[in-house]
Coordinates of all heavy atoms in Angstrom, one line a residue:
M299 N 0.9 -1.3 0.0 CA 0.0 0.0 0.0 C 0.8 1.2 0.0 O 1.8 1.4 0.8 CB -0.9 0.0 1.3 CG -1.9 1.1 1.2 SD -2.9 1.1 2.7 CE -4.1 -0.1 2.2
S300 N 0.7 2.1 -0.9 CA 1.5 3.3 -1.0 C 1.1 4.3 0.1 O 0.1 4.4 0.5 CB 1.3 4.0 -2.3 OG 0.0 4.4 -2.5
R301 N 2.2 5.0 0.5 CA 2.0 6.0 1.6 C 1.7 7.4 1.0 O 2.5 8.3 1.1 CB 3.4 6.1 2.4 CG 3.8 4.8 3.0 CD 3.1 4.4 4.2 NE 3.3 5.4 5.2 CZ 2.8 5.4 6.4 NH1 1.9 4.5 6.7 NH2 3.0 6.4 7.3
I302 N 0.5 7.5 0.4 CA 0.0 8.7 -0.1 C -1.4 9.1 0.5 O -2.3 8.2 0.5 CB -0.1 8.7 -1.7 CG1 1.3 8.4 -2.2 CG2 -0.7 9.9 -2.3 CD1 1.3 8.2 -3.7
C303 N -1.5 10.3 0.8 CA -2.8 10.8 1.4 C -3.9 10.8 0.2 O -3.6 11.3 -0.9 CB -2.6 12.2 1.9 SG -4.2 13.0 2.5
E304 N -5.0 10.3 0.5 CA -6.1 10.2 -0.5 C -6.7 11.5 -0.8 O -7.3 11.7 -1.9 CB -7.2 9.2 -0.1 CG -6.6 7.7 0.0 CD -7.8 6.8 0.2 OE1 -8.7 6.7 -0.8 OE2 -7.9 6.1 1.2
L305 N -6.7 12.5 0.1 CA -7.3 13.8 -0.2 C -6.4 14.9 -0.7 O -6.7 15.8 -1.4 CB -8.0 14.2 1.1 CG -9.2 13.3 1.5 CD1 -9.9 13.8 2.8 CD2 -10.2 13.1 0.5
T306 N -5.1 14.9 -0.1 CA -4.3 15.9 -0.5 C -3.1 15.5 -1.5 O -2.5 16.4 -2.1 CB -3.5 16.5 0.7 OG1 -2.7 15.5 1.3 CG2 -4.5 17.1 1.7
G307 N -2.9 14.3 -1.7 CA -1.9 13.8 -2.6 C -0.5 13.8 -2.0 O 0.5 13.6 -2.7
K308 N -0.4 14.2 -0.7 CA 0.9 14.3 0.0 C 1.6 12.9 0.1 O 0.9 11.9 0.5 CB 0.7 14.9 1.3 CG 1.9 15.0 2.1 CD 1.7 15.6 3.5 CE 1.8 17.1 3.3 NZ 2.2 17.8 4.6
G309 N 2.8 12.8 -0.4 CA 3.5 11.5 -0.4 C 4.8 11.6 0.3 O 5.0 12.6 1.1
R310 N 5.7 10.7 0.1 CA 7.0 10.7 0.8 C 7.9 11.7 0.2 O 7.8 12.1 -0.9 CB 7.6 9.2 0.7 CG 8.1 9.0 -0.7 CD 8.6 7.5 -0.8 NE 9.3 7.3 -2.1 CZ 10.5 6.9 -2.1 NH1 11.1 6.4 -1.1 NH2 11.1 6.8 -3.3
Q311 N 8.8 12.1 1.0 CA 9.9 13.1 0.6 C 11.2 12.4 0.9 O 11.4 11.7 1.9 CB 9.8 14.4 1.3 CG 8.5 15.3 0.9 CD 8.6 16.6 1.6 OE1 8.9 16.7 2.7 NE2 8.2 17.6 0.8
V312 N 12.3 12.7 0.1 CA 13.6 12.2 0.3 C 14.5 13.3 0.7 O 14.4 14.4 0.2 CB 14.1 11.5 -1.0 CG1 15.4 11.0 -0.8 CG2 13.2 10.4 -1.4
G313 N 15.4 13.0 1.7 CA 16.3 14.0 2.2 C 17.5 13.3 2.8 O 17.8 12.2 2.4
H314 N 18.3 14.0 3.6 CA 19.5 13.5 4.2 C 19.4 13.5 5.7 O 18.9 14.4 6.3 CB 20.7 14.4 3.8 CG 21.1 14.2 2.4 ND1 20.8 15.1 1.4 CD2 21.7 13.2 1.7 CE1 21.3 14.7 0.3 NE2 21.9 13.6 0.4
N315 N 20.0 12.4 6.3 CA 20.3 12.5 7.7 C 21.8 13.1 7.7 O 22.6 12.6 7.0 CB 20.4 11.1 8.3 CG 19.1 10.6 8.9 OD1 18.3 11.4 9.2 ND2 18.9 9.3 9.0
V316 N 22.0 14.1 8.5 CA 23.3 14.8 8.5 C 23.8 14.6 10.0 O 23.3 14.9 10.9 CB 23.2 16.2 8.2 CG1 24.6 16.9 8.2 CG2 22.5 16.5 6.8
S317 N 25.0 13.9 9.9 CA 25.7 13.7 11.2 C 26.4 14.9 11.7 O 26.6 15.9 10.9 CB 26.6 12.5 11.1 OG 27.8 12.8 10.3
H318 N 27.1 14.8 12.9 CA 27.8 15.9 13.4 C 29.1 16.2 12.6 O 29.5 17.3 12.4 CB 28.2 15.6 14.9 CG 29.0 16.7 15.5 ND1 28.3 18.0 15.9 CD2 30.2 16.8 15.9 CE1 29.2 18.8 16.4 NE2 30.4 18.1 16.5
A319 N 29.5 15.1 12.0 CA 30.7 15.2 11.0 C 30.3 15.6 9.6 O 31.2 15.5 8.7 CB 31.5 13.9 11.0
N320 N 29.1 15.9 9.4 CA 28.5 16.4 8.2 C 28.5 15.2 7.1 O 28.6 15.5 5.9 CB 29.3 17.6 7.7 CG 28.4 18.4 6.6 OD1 27.1 18.4 6.8 ND2 29.0 19.1 5.7
N321 N 28.4 14.0 7.6 CA 28.2 12.9 6.6 C 26.7 12.8 6.4 O 25.8 13.0 7.2 CB 28.6 11.5 7.3 CG 30.1 11.4 7.7 OD1 30.9 12.1 7.0 ND2 30.4 10.8 8.7
K322 N 26.4 12.7 5.1 CA 25.0 12.6 4.7 C 24.5 11.2 4.2 O 25.3 10.6 3.3 CB 24.8 13.6 3.5 CG 25.0 15.0 4.0 CD 24.9 16.0 2.8 CE 25.2 17.4 3.2 NZ 26.6 17.6 3.6
T323 N 23.5 10.7 4.7 CA 23.0 9.5 4.3 C 21.5 9.7 3.9 O 20.8 10.6 4.5 CB 23.0 8.4 5.4 OG1 22.3 8.9 6.6 CG2 24.5 8.0 5.7
K324 N 21.0 8.9 2.9 CA 19.6 9.1 2.5 C 18.6 8.8 3.6 O 18.7 7.9 4.3 CB 19.3 8.2 1.2 CG 20.1 8.6 0.0 CD 19.3 9.6 -0.8 CE 19.9 9.9 -2.1 NZ 19.1 10.7 -2.9
K325 N 17.5 9.5 3.5 CA 16.4 9.3 4.5 C 15.1 9.5 3.8 O 14.9 10.4 3.0 CB 16.5 10.2 5.7 CG 15.5 10.1 6.7 CD 15.6 10.9 7.9 CE 14.4 10.9 8.9 NZ 13.9 9.6 9.1
V326 N 14.0 8.8 4.1 CA 12.8 8.9 3.5 C 11.9 9.5 4.6 O 11.8 8.9 5.7 CB 12.2 7.6 2.9 CG1 10.8 7.8 2.5 CG2 13.1 7.1 1.9
F327 N 11.2 10.6 4.4 CA 10.3 11.2 5.3 C 8.9 10.9 4.9 O 8.4 11.2 3.7 CB 10.3 12.7 5.4 CG 11.7 13.2 5.8 CD1 12.7 13.5 4.9 CD2 12.0 13.4 7.2 CE1 14.0 13.9 5.3 CE2 13.2 13.8 7.6 CZ 14.2 14.1 6.7
L328 N 8.2 10.1 5.7 CA 6.8 9.6 5.3 C 5.7 10.5 5.9 O 5.9 10.9 7.1 CB 6.6 8.1 5.8 CG 7.6 7.1 5.2 CD1 7.3 5.7 5.9 CD2 7.3 6.9 3.7
P329 N 4.6 10.7 5.2 CA 3.6 11.4 5.9 C 2.9 10.7 7.0 O 2.8 9.4 6.9 CB 2.6 11.7 4.8 CG 2.9 10.6 3.7 CD 4.3 10.2 3.9
N330 N 2.3 11.4 8.0 CA 1.6 10.7 9.1 C 0.2 10.3 8.6 O -0.7 11.2 8.7 CB 1.6 11.7 10.2 CG 1.0 11.0 11.5 OD1 0.7 9.9 11.6 ND2 0.8 11.8 12.5
L331 N 0.0 9.2 8.1 CA -1.3 8.7 7.6 C -2.1 8.0 8.6 O -1.6 7.2 9.4 CB -1.1 7.8 6.4 CG -0.4 8.4 5.2 CD1 -0.3 7.4 4.1 CD2 -1.2 9.7 4.6
Q332 N -3.4 8.4 8.6 CA -4.3 7.8 9.6 C -5.5 7.3 8.8 O -6.0 7.9 7.8 CB -4.8 8.8 10.6 CG -3.7 9.5 11.3 CD -2.9 8.6 12.2 OE1 -3.6 7.6 12.8 NE2 -1.6 8.7 12.3
N333 N -6.1 6.2 9.2 CA -7.4 5.7 8.7 C -8.5 6.4 9.3 O -8.7 6.3 10.6 CB -7.5 4.2 8.8 CG -6.4 3.4 8.0 OD1 -6.3 3.8 6.9 ND2 -5.9 2.4 8.6
V334 N -9.3 7.1 8.6 CA -10.4 8.0 9.2 C -11.7 7.7 8.4 O -11.7 7.3 7.3 CB -10.0 9.5 9.2 CG1 -8.9 9.8 10.1 CG2 -9.9 10.0 7.8
T335 N -12.8 8.0 9.1 CA -14.1 7.9 8.6 C -14.7 9.3 8.5 O -14.8 9.9 9.7 CB -15.1 7.0 9.4 OG1 -14.4 5.6 9.4 CG2 -16.4 6.9 8.7
L336 N -14.9 9.9 7.3 CA -15.4 11.2 7.2 C -16.9 11.1 6.8 O -17.3 10.4 6.0 CB -14.6 12.0 6.3 CG -13.1 12.1 6.6 CD1 -12.3 12.8 5.5 CD2 -13.1 13.0 7.9
L337 N -17.7 12.1 7.3 CA -19.1 12.1 7.1 C -19.4 13.2 6.0 O -19.0 14.3 6.1 CB -19.8 12.5 8.4 CG -21.4 12.5 8.3 CD1 -21.9 11.1 8.0 CD2 -22.0 13.0 9.5
S338 N -20.1 12.7 4.9 CA -20.6 13.7 4.0 C -22.0 14.1 4.4 O -22.9 13.3 4.5 CB -20.7 13.0 2.6 OG -21.3 13.8 1.7
E339 N -22.1 15.4 4.6 CA -23.5 16.0 5.0 C -24.5 16.0 3.9 O -25.7 15.7 4.1 CB -23.3 17.4 5.5 CG -22.4 17.5 6.8 CD -21.7 18.8 7.0 OE1 -21.8 19.7 6.1 OE2 -20.9 18.9 7.9
K340 N -24.1 16.2 2.6 CA -25.0 16.3 1.5 C -25.5 14.9 1.2 O -26.6 14.7 0.8 CB -24.4 16.9 0.3 CG -24.1 18.4 0.5 CD -23.5 19.0 -0.7 CE -23.1 20.5 -0.4 NZ -22.3 21.1 -1.4
L341 N -24.6 13.8 1.2 CA -25.0 12.5 0.9 C -25.5 11.7 2.1 O -26.1 10.6 1.9 CB -23.8 11.8 0.3 CG -23.2 12.3 -1.1 CD1 -21.9 11.5 -1.5 CD2 -24.2 12.3 -2.2
D342 N -25.3 12.2 3.3 CA -25.7 11.6 4.5 C -25.1 10.2 4.7 O -25.8 9.3 5.0 CB -27.3 11.6 4.6 CG -27.7 11.4 6.1 OD1 -27.0 11.8 6.9 OD2 -28.7 10.8 6.2
R343 N -23.8 10.1 4.3 CA -23.1 8.8 4.4 C -21.7 9.1 4.9 O -21.2 10.2 4.9 CB -23.0 8.2 2.9 CG -24.2 7.5 2.5 CD -23.9 6.9 1.1 NE -22.7 6.1 1.0 CZ -22.1 5.8 -0.1 NH1 -22.6 6.3 -1.3 NH2 -21.0 5.1 -0.2
S344 N -21.1 8.0 5.4 CA -19.7 8.1 5.9 C -18.8 7.4 4.8 O -19.3 6.3 4.2 CB -19.6 7.5 7.3 OG -19.9 6.2 7.3
F345 N -17.6 7.9 4.8 CA -16.6 7.3 3.9 C -15.3 7.1 4.6 O -14.9 7.9 5.3 CB -16.4 8.2 2.6 CG -17.6 8.4 1.8 CD1 -18.4 9.4 2.0 CD2 -18.0 7.4 0.8 CE1 -19.6 9.6 1.2 CE2 -19.1 7.7 0.0 CZ -19.9 8.7 0.2
K346 N -14.6 6.0 4.3 CA -13.3 5.7 4.9 C -12.2 6.2 3.9 O -12.2 5.9 2.7 CB -13.1 4.1 5.2 CG -14.0 3.7 6.4 CD -13.7 2.3 6.7 CE -14.4 1.8 7.9 NZ -14.1 0.5 8.3
F347 N -11.2 6.9 4.5 CA -10.1 7.4 3.7 C -8.8 7.1 4.6 O -8.8 7.1 5.7 CB -10.2 8.9 3.5 CG -11.3 9.2 2.5 CD1 -12.5 9.8 2.9 CD2 -11.2 9.0 1.1 CE1 -13.4 10.2 2.1 CE2 -12.2 9.3 0.3 CZ -13.3 9.9 0.7
R348 N -7.7 7.2 3.8 CA -6.3 7.1 4.4 C -5.8 8.5 4.2 O -5.4 8.8 3.1 CB -5.5 6.1 3.8 CG -4.2 5.8 4.6 CD -3.7 4.3 4.2 NE -2.7 4.0 5.1 CZ -1.5 3.6 4.8 NH1 -1.2 3.5 3.5 NH2 -0.6 3.3 5.6
V349 N -5.8 9.3 5.3 CA -5.5 10.7 5.2 C -4.4 11.1 6.1 O -4.2 10.6 7.2 CB -6.8 11.5 5.6 CG1 -6.6 13.0 5.4 CG2 -8.0 11.1 4.8
S350 N -3.6 12.1 5.6 CA -2.5 12.6 6.4 C -3.1 13.5 7.6 O -4.3 14.0 7.3 CB -1.5 13.5 5.7 OG -2.1 14.6 5.1
T351 N -2.5 13.7 8.6 CA -3.0 14.5 9.7 C -3.2 16.0 9.3 O -4.1 16.7 9.6 CB -2.2 14.5 11.0 OG1 -0.8 14.8 10.6 CG2 -2.2 13.1 11.6
Q352 N -2.3 16.4 8.4 CA -2.4 17.8 7.8 C -3.6 17.9 6.9 O -4.3 18.9 7.0 CB -1.1 18.2 7.1 CG -1.1 19.7 6.6 CD -1.2 20.6 7.8 OE1 -0.5 20.5 8.8 NE2 -2.0 21.6 7.5
G353 N -3.8 16.9 6.2 CA -5.0 16.8 5.3 C -6.2 16.8 6.1 O -7.3 17.5 5.6
L354 N -6.3 16.1 7.3 CA -7.4 16.1 8.0 C -7.8 17.5 8.6 O -8.9 18.0 8.6 CB -7.3 15.1 9.1 CG -8.5 14.7 10.0 CD1 -9.6 14.2 9.0 CD2 -8.1 13.7 11.0
R355 N -6.7 18.3 9.0 CA -6.9 19.7 9.5 C -7.3 20.5 8.3 O -8.2 21.4 8.5 CB -5.6 20.2 10.0 CG -5.1 19.5 11.3 CD -3.8 20.1 11.8 NE -4.0 21.4 12.2 CZ -3.2 22.4 12.2 NH1 -1.9 22.2 11.8 NH2 -3.4 23.7 12.6
S356 N -6.9 20.3 7.1 CA -7.3 21.1 6.0 C -8.8 20.9 5.7 O -9.6 21.8 5.3 CB -6.5 20.8 4.8 OG -5.2 21.0 5.0
V357 N -9.2 19.6 5.8 CA -10.7 19.3 5.5 C -11.5 20.0 6.6 O -12.6 20.6 6.2 CB -10.9 17.8 5.6 CG1 -12.3 17.5 5.7 CG2 -10.2 17.1 4.4
E358 N -11.2 19.9 7.8 CA -12.0 20.6 8.9 C -12.0 22.1 8.7 O -12.9 22.8 8.9 CB -11.4 20.2 10.2 CG -11.6 18.8 10.6 CD -13.0 18.4 10.6 OE1 -13.9 19.1 11.1 OE2 -13.4 17.3 10.1
H359 N -10.8 22.6 8.2 CA -10.7 24.1 8.1 C -11.6 24.6 6.9 O -12.2 25.7 7.0 CB -9.2 24.5 7.8 CG -9.0 25.9 7.5 ND1 -9.0 26.8 8.6 CD2 -8.9 26.6 6.4 CE1 -8.7 28.1 8.0 NE2 -8.7 27.9 6.7
N360 N -11.8 23.8 5.8 CA -12.6 24.2 4.8 C -14.1 23.8 4.9 O -14.8 23.9 4.0 CB -12.1 23.5 3.5 CG -10.9 24.2 2.9 OD1 -11.0 25.3 2.5 ND2 -9.8 23.5 3.1
G361 N -14.5 23.3 6.1 CA -15.9 23.1 6.3 C -16.4 21.8 6.1 O -17.6 21.6 5.9
G362 N -15.5 20.8 6.1 CA -16.0 19.4 6.0 C -15.7 18.7 4.7 O -15.1 19.4 3.7
L363 N -15.9 17.5 4.5 CA -15.5 16.7 3.4 C -16.1 17.2 2.1 O -15.5 17.3 1.1 CB -15.9 15.3 3.6 CG -15.6 14.2 2.5 CD1 -14.1 14.1 2.3 CD2 -16.2 12.9 2.8
D364 N -17.4 17.6 2.2 CA -18.1 18.0 0.9 C -17.4 19.2 0.3 O -17.1 19.2 -0.9 CB -19.6 18.4 1.2 CG -20.3 17.1 1.7 OD1 -19.8 16.0 1.4 OD2 -21.4 17.3 2.3
N365 N -17.2 20.3 1.1 CA -16.5 21.5 0.6 C -15.1 21.2 0.1 O -14.6 21.8 -0.9 CB -16.5 22.6 1.7 CG -17.8 23.1 1.9 OD1 -18.8 23.0 1.2 ND2 -18.0 23.7 3.2
W366 N -14.3 20.4 0.8 CA -13.0 20.0 0.5 C -12.9 19.4 -0.9 O -12.2 19.8 -1.8 CB -12.4 19.2 1.5 CG -11.0 18.7 1.1 CD1 -10.7 17.4 0.6 CD2 -9.8 19.4 1.1 NE1 -9.4 17.4 0.3 CE2 -8.8 18.6 0.6 CE3 -9.5 20.7 1.5 CZ2 -7.4 19.0 0.5 CZ3 -8.1 21.1 1.4 CH2 -7.2 20.3 0.9
L367 N -13.8 18.3 -1.1 CA -13.8 17.6 -2.3 C -14.1 18.5 -3.6 O -13.5 18.4 -4.6 CB -14.7 16.4 -2.3 CG -14.3 15.3 -1.5 CD1 -15.3 14.3 -1.4 CD2 -12.9 14.6 -2.0
L368 N -15.1 19.4 -3.4 CA -15.6 20.3 -4.5 C -14.5 21.3 -4.8 O -14.4 21.8 -6.0 CB -16.9 20.9 -4.1 CG -18.0 19.9 -4.0 CD1 -19.3 20.7 -3.5 CD2 -18.3 19.3 -5.4
K369 N -13.6 21.7 -3.8 CA -12.7 22.7 -4.0 C -11.3 22.1 -4.7 O -10.6 22.9 -5.4 CB -12.3 23.5 -2.7 CG -13.3 24.5 -2.3 CD -12.8 25.1 -1.0 CE -13.8 26.0 -0.5 NZ -13.4 26.7 0.7
T370 N -11.1 20.9 -4.4 CA -9.8 20.3 -4.7 C -9.8 19.8 -6.2 O -10.7 19.3 -6.7 CB -9.5 19.1 -3.7 OG1 -9.6 19.6 -2.4 CG2 -8.0 18.6 -3.9
K371 N -8.6 20.0 -6.8 CA -8.4 19.5 -8.2 C -8.4 18.0 -8.3 O -8.0 17.4 -7.3 CB -7.1 20.1 -8.7 CG -7.1 21.6 -8.9 CD -5.7 22.0 -9.4 CE -5.7 23.5 -9.5 NZ -4.3 23.9 -10.0
D372 N -8.8 17.5 -9.3 CA -9.0 16.0 -9.5 C -7.6 15.3 -9.4 O -7.6 14.1 -9.0 CB -9.7 15.7 -10.8 CG -11.2 16.0 -10.8 OD1 -11.7 16.4 -9.7 OD2 -11.8 15.9 -11.8
E373 N -6.6 15.9 -9.9 CA -5.2 15.3 -9.9 C -4.7 15.0 -8.5 O -4.0 14.0 -8.4 CB -4.2 16.3 -10.6 CG -4.5 16.6 -12.0 CD -5.4 17.9 -12.2 OE1 -5.1 18.8 -11.5 OE2 -6.4 17.8 -12.9
K374 N -5.2 15.7 -7.5 CA -4.7 15.4 -6.1 C -5.5 14.3 -5.5 O -4.9 13.7 -4.6 CB -4.8 16.6 -5.3 CG -3.8 17.7 -5.6 CD -3.9 18.8 -4.5 CE -2.8 19.8 -4.7 NZ -2.8 20.8 -3.7
L375 N -6.6 14.0 -5.9 CA -7.5 13.1 -5.3 C -7.3 11.6 -5.8 O -6.9 11.4 -6.9 CB -9.0 13.4 -5.6 CG -9.4 14.8 -5.0 CD1 -10.9 15.1 -5.5 CD2 -9.3 14.9 -3.5
S376 N -7.5 10.7 -4.8 CA -7.4 9.3 -5.2 C -8.7 8.9 -5.9 O -9.7 9.6 -6.1 CB -7.3 8.4 -3.9 OG -8.5 8.4 -3.2
A377 N -8.7 7.6 -6.4 CA -9.8 7.1 -7.2 C -11.0 7.0 -6.3 O -12.2 7.3 -6.8 CB -9.4 5.7 -7.8
N378 N -10.8 6.7 -5.0 CA -11.9 6.6 -4.1 C -12.6 7.9 -3.8 O -13.8 8.0 -3.8 CB -11.3 5.9 -2.8 CG -12.5 5.6 -1.8 OD1 -13.6 5.5 -2.2 ND2 -12.1 5.5 -0.5
A379 N -11.7 8.9 -3.6 CA -12.1 10.3 -3.4 C -12.8 10.9 -4.6 O -13.8 11.6 -4.5 CB -11.0 11.2 -3.0
L380 N -12.4 10.5 -5.9 CA -13.0 11.0 -7.1 C -14.4 10.4 -7.2 O -15.3 11.1 -7.7 CB -12.1 10.7 -8.3 CG -11.0 11.5 -8.6 CD1 -10.1 11.0 -9.7 CD2 -11.4 12.9 -9.0
K381 N -14.6 9.2 -6.8 CA -15.9 8.5 -6.8 C -16.9 9.3 -6.0 O -18.0 9.6 -6.3 CB -15.7 7.1 -6.4 CG -16.8 6.2 -6.8 CD -16.5 4.8 -6.7 CE -17.1 4.2 -5.5 NZ -16.8 2.8 -5.3
V382 N -16.4 9.7 -4.7 CA -17.2 10.4 -3.8 C -17.6 11.8 -4.4 O -18.7 12.3 -4.4 CB -16.6 10.5 -2.5 CG1 -17.4 11.3 -1.5 CG2 -16.4 9.1 -1.8
K383 N -16.6 12.4 -5.0 CA -16.8 13.8 -5.6 C -17.8 13.7 -6.7 O -18.7 14.6 -6.8 CB -15.4 14.3 -6.2 CG -15.5 15.7 -6.7 CD -14.1 16.2 -7.1 CE -14.2 17.6 -7.6 NZ -12.8 18.1 -7.9
R384 N -17.8 12.7 -7.5 CA -18.8 12.5 -8.7 C -20.1 12.3 -8.0 O -21.2 12.9 -8.5 CB -18.4 11.3 -9.5 CG -17.4 11.6 -10.6 CD -17.3 10.6 -11.6 NE -15.9 10.2 -11.6 CZ -15.4 9.1 -11.2 NH1 -16.1 8.2 -10.6 NH2 -14.1 9.0 -11.2
E385 N -20.3 11.5 -7.0 CA -21.6 11.4 -6.3 C -22.1 12.7 -5.8 O -23.3 13.0 -5.9 CB -21.5 10.4 -5.1 CG -21.4 9.0 -5.6 CD -21.3 8.0 -4.4 OE1 -22.0 8.3 -3.4 OE2 -20.5 7.1 -4.4
L386 N -21.2 13.6 -5.2 CA -21.6 14.9 -4.7 C -22.1 15.8 -5.8 O -23.2 16.4 -5.7 CB -20.4 15.5 -4.1 CG -20.1 15.2 -2.6 CD1 -18.8 15.8 -2.2 CD2 -21.2 15.6 -1.7
K387 N -21.4 15.7 -7.0 CA -21.9 16.5 -8.1 C -23.2 16.1 -8.6 O -24.1 16.9 -8.9 CB -20.9 16.6 -9.2 CG -19.6 17.4 -8.9 CD -18.6 17.4 -10.0 CE -17.5 18.3 -9.7 NZ -16.5 18.4 -10.8
K388 N -23.5 14.8 -8.6 CA -24.8 14.2 -9.1 C -25.9 14.7 -8.1 O -26.9 15.0 -8.5 CB -24.7 12.7 -9.1 CG -24.2 12.2 -10.4 CD -24.2 10.6 -10.4 CE -23.5 10.1 -11.5 NZ -23.4 8.6 -11.4
A389 N -25.6 14.6 -6.8 CA -26.6 15.0 -5.8 C -26.9 16.5 -5.8 O -28.0 16.9 -5.7 CB -26.1 14.6 -4.4
A390 N -25.8 17.3 -6.1 CA -26.1 18.8 -6.3 C -26.8 19.1 -7.5 O -27.7 20.0 -7.5 CB -24.7 19.5 -6.4
A391 N -26.7 18.3 -8.6 CA -27.4 18.6 -9.8 C -28.8 18.1 -9.7 O -29.7 18.7 -10.3 CB -26.7 17.9 -11.0
A392 N -29.1 17.1 -9.0 CA -30.4 16.5 -8.8 C -31.2 17.4 -7.9 O -32.5 17.5 -8.1 CB -30.4 15.1 -8.2
S393 N -30.7 18.1 -7.0 CA -31.5 19.0 -6.0 C -31.6 20.4 -6.5 O -31.2 20.9 -7.5 CB -30.9 19.0 -4.7 OG -29.6 19.4 -4.7

């Protein structure tokens, strides 16, 4: 399973561990991913996502899952999140 946030697209970063003697060795920085269940108010359903903690804060800051999905570009979202976004657009068009 890849270490990529389903809502923000945040993935691993590569850098260096630097010792006191300034020796550099490769290091991988992984995002802090959590399995969360987010509630969609418009669809009145809950969805499970694997989200970074920063992504979770961003979702809450933007007013919930529905607002976040509608604002975010499709390239950043996972296939699962894109499916939910399409459902949201259908529900908005129907009402």
Side-chain angles (χ1 to χ4, degrees):
M299 183 179 283
S300 63
R301 302 280 300 175
I302 297 176
C303 176
E304 290 190 66
L305 297 181
T306 61
K308 179 179 272 207
R310 69 185 194 128
Q311 290 184 321
V312 179
H314 287 105
N315 272 338
V316 181
S317 70
H318 185 67
N320 205 27
N321 297 329
K322 295 175 182 72
T323 57
K324 289 272 188 172
K325 176 175 175 46
V326 176
F327 297 93
L328 297 174
N330 183 7
L331 296 179
Q332 305 294 322
N333 293 318
V334 296
T335 303
L336 298 172
L337 182 66
S338 169
E339 293 153 4
K340 292 179 184 171
L341 298 176
D342 200 32
R343 280 181 51 201
S344 59
F345 299 94
K346 288 188 177 184
F347 291 108
R348 194 159 190 231
V349 183
S350 64
T351 52
Q352 185 61 47
L354 192 57
R355 290 182 68 207
S356 299
V357 169
E358 292 301 318
H359 179 76
N360 282 292
L363 180 65
D364 298 340
N365 291 339
W366 173 260
L367 288 175
L368 294 174
K369 285 182 182 180
T370 308
K371 294 179 184 176
D372 291 351
E373 297 88 49
K374 285 189 174 185
L375 299 174
S376 68
N378 188 20
L380 277 173
K381 197 164 102 177
V382 176
K383 185 175 181 175
R384 273 189 238 108
E385 286 181 39
L386 275 172
K387 285 185 177 179
K388 278 184 191 176
S393 62

